[in-house]
Amino acid sequence: MYGRFKDHVDAELRRIRDRGLYKRERVLETPQGVEIRTESGAKVLNFCANNYLGFSNDPRVMAAANTAFFRWGFGLASVRFICGTQRVHKELESRLAEFLGADDAILYSSAFDANGGVFEPLLDETCAIVSDELNHASIIDGVRLAKAKRYVYRNNDMDDLEDQLVHAREARFKLIVTDGVFSMDGTIAQVDKICDLADRHEALVCVDDSHATGFIGPTGRGTHEHCGCVGRVDLIVTTFGKALGGASGGCVAGRREIVELLRQRSRPYLFSNSLAPAIAGATVEVLRILGGSAELREKLMANTRLFREGMERAGFRIVPGIHPIVPVLFGHLPDDARLSQDFANALLEEGVYVIGFSYPVVPVGKSRIRVQISAAHATEQIEFALDKFRKVGKALGAI
Ligand SMILES: *Cc1c(COP(=O)(O)O)cnc(C)c1O
């Protein structure tokens, strides 16, 4: 049997390669950080990780992981409700709830799992989910698992959201779900306006703040804080795999009864192993650091401003905003898909690691390099990257 299936898989792989969609993985020989080295040798400055606050190799966070590792052991070999809940898990849940401004929080192995488990237990076929068209793949999959009717609105378009809410008016319960920050553009969802519409149309609101928790908003609580609507968002999904340390894990924070029901019914929570205690302990430490000091968030924002202003001054087109995701656009230039790839390759030669994205990852004519700034970048490293962008930009005729 395998022979025939092998031919099928080979053909599928060929199609992926022919369409230019084959993803090659560069193997790192170093911890994740600002300076990394890949198999091919040279050290490069990393501008493509979600390591927004530099916690992925912060000595305080690693020490906390180490302490939790020896205090609580390597793993639980159990789901939460059998014998997989330790004090460190409960402590993390209560700290997350406090940080996010929610009643309670429930842990998952990843934000992907959180989205896979949050909709199905809450919304049945009499309900409706109204979802932004650019929402993360895990939201799309999670919504598919629910029996609720699905309505999709144009990205960040509040008029279309309202239209969809009107279409969904017969539903017993409605839930609006959005990414807090859209990862290809770095744009921030209008969570305040979404909450207003939710009030007007009697809907619940769920925000996936994976690209915001820890650094967006005056004290880093996320997009709800940035938009001035803490307490109005019913459910917040977020990851520990980005700014909060980058290991893995995620949660849903929200109203007490909803979290309680998720503990009873959410399948990835009930039927998947407990978060490793070292990660739980390290994430508690991350939240403690963030609660005590604004230093890293301020450094991240200062780095982001420096980079954004430098790029605009040099004549690059970037998606405006404040987020450390900085998309550098090439769509107005000839052969933009190739240019974005050539540009990224040339930057790597110069010691700056960024990724070029083109169709179909982003729409036709929207090819880009996505730069991600970290608080761990030194000012000189931001200047170095700007210098290399200018050099390559001139060489390739992009500025
Ligand atoms: C990264 C991301 C996820 C996935 O997070 P994991 O914890 O790595 O599974 C989910 N949602 C959004 C919006 C993300 O950006």
Side-chain angles (χ1 to χ4, degrees), residues 50 109-113 115 136 138-139 179-181 183 208-211 237-242 248-250:
N50 299 313
S109 300
S110 66
F112 205 108
D113 266 354
N115 280 323
H136 190 264
S138 56
I139 296 178
D179 278 15
V181 173
S183 63
D208 180 342
D209 241 359
S210 292
H211 279 288
V237 175
T238 197
T239 183
F240 316 146
K242 293 184 171 116
S248 62

Side-chain angles (χ1 to χ4, degrees), residues 64-366:
N66 199 39
T67 303
F69 183 86
F70 284 104
R71 168 72 179 80
W72 298 105
F74 178 50
L76 268 300
S78 171
V79 297
R80 290 285 300 272
F81 80 95
I82 296 182
C83 53
T85 301
Q86 294 170 319
R87 191 146 32 78
V88 69
H89 297 93
K90 295 314 288 180
E91 187 183 356
L92 176 55
E93 285 174 341
S94 71
R95 281 201 179 252
L96 283 164
E98 191 197 321
F99 187 77
L100 297 169
D103 299 336
D104 198 2
I106 171 174
L107 304 181
Y108 290 85
S109 300
S110 66
F112 205 108
D113 266 354
N115 280 323
V118 68
F119 304 110
E120 186 264 342
L122 301 179
L123 301 155
D124 67 12
E125 59 278 3
T126 65
C127 303
I129 300 173
V130 186
S131 176
D132 188 289
E133 66 176 348
L134 289 192
N135 277 345
H136 190 264
S138 56
I139 296 178
I140 294 169
D141 286 9
V143 170
R144 274 196 200 131
L145 291 170
K147 294 204 175 64
K149 282 192 79 174
R150 180 163 41 125
Y151 299 81
V152 176
Y153 64 96
R154 282 191 297 276
N155 177 231
N156 226 345
D157 182 333
M158 295 299 104
D159 293 332
D160 196 32
L161 170 57
E162 181 147 43
D163 286 349
Q164 299 306 323
L165 286 165
V166 170
H167 284 147
R169 67 180 169 271
E170 304 292 326
R172 185 160 67 117
F173 299 113
K174 297 184 283 290
L175 172 81
I176 305 168
V177 57
T178 182
D179 278 15
V181 173
F182 297 96
S183 63
M184 277 297 144
D185 295 321
T187 48
I188 299 176
Q190 305 167 73
V191 178
D192 48 340
K193 293 189 183 142
I194 291 174
C195 288
D196 291 345
L197 285 171
D199 288 347
R200 208 169 321 135
H201 294 269
E202 281 208 11
L204 298 159
V205 177
C206 175
V207 175
D208 180 342
D209 241 359
S210 292
H211 279 288
T213 301
F215 60 97
I216 293 294
T219 64
R221 263 60 176 172
T223 55
H224 58 323
E225 188 187 32
H226 176 79
C227 296
C229 44
V230 173
R232 296 181 70 197
V233 174
D234 301 284
L235 290 165
I236 296 169
V237 175
T238 197
T239 183
F240 316 146
K242 293 184 171 116
L244 299 188
S248 62
C251 73
V252 178
R255 315 265 181 211
R256 182 168 314 288
E257 304 74 20
I258 298 180
V259 172
E260 192 177 348
L261 183 57
L262 291 174
R263 286 191 207 281
Q264 300 304 313
R265 294 265 173 83
S266 180
R267 294 167 69 83
Y269 180 80
L270 290 168
F271 301 116
S272 185
N273 206 31
S274 296
L275 192 68
I279 296 178
T283 310
V284 167
E285 173 66 5
V286 163
L287 294 173
R288 193 195 62 74
I289 295 169
L290 290 179
S293 161
E295 191 185 326
L296 288 172
R297 199 181 62 257
E298 282 167 7
K299 175 68 175 156
L300 173 61
M301 290 305 159
N303 280 350
T304 300
R305 281 192 299 274
L306 179 65
F307 185 77
R308 284 178 168 275
E309 284 164 16
M311 289 297 281
E312 280 176 340
R313 214 172 309 120
F316 286 99
R317 292 197 190 175
I318 60 175
V319 178
I322 61 153
H323 198 276
I325 292 173
V326 187
V328 184
L329 301 173
F330 296 105
H332 57 293
L333 296 164
D335 207 2
D336 61 303
R338 171 160 302 272
L339 179 62
S340 63
Q341 303 305 325
D342 290 349
F343 206 115
N345 290 336
L347 281 170
L348 190 63
E349 292 287 308
E350 297 285 344
V352 175
Y353 188 13
V354 290
I355 303 288
F357 294 93
S358 48
Y359 180 79
V361 181
V362 293
V364 175
K366 294 274 171 95

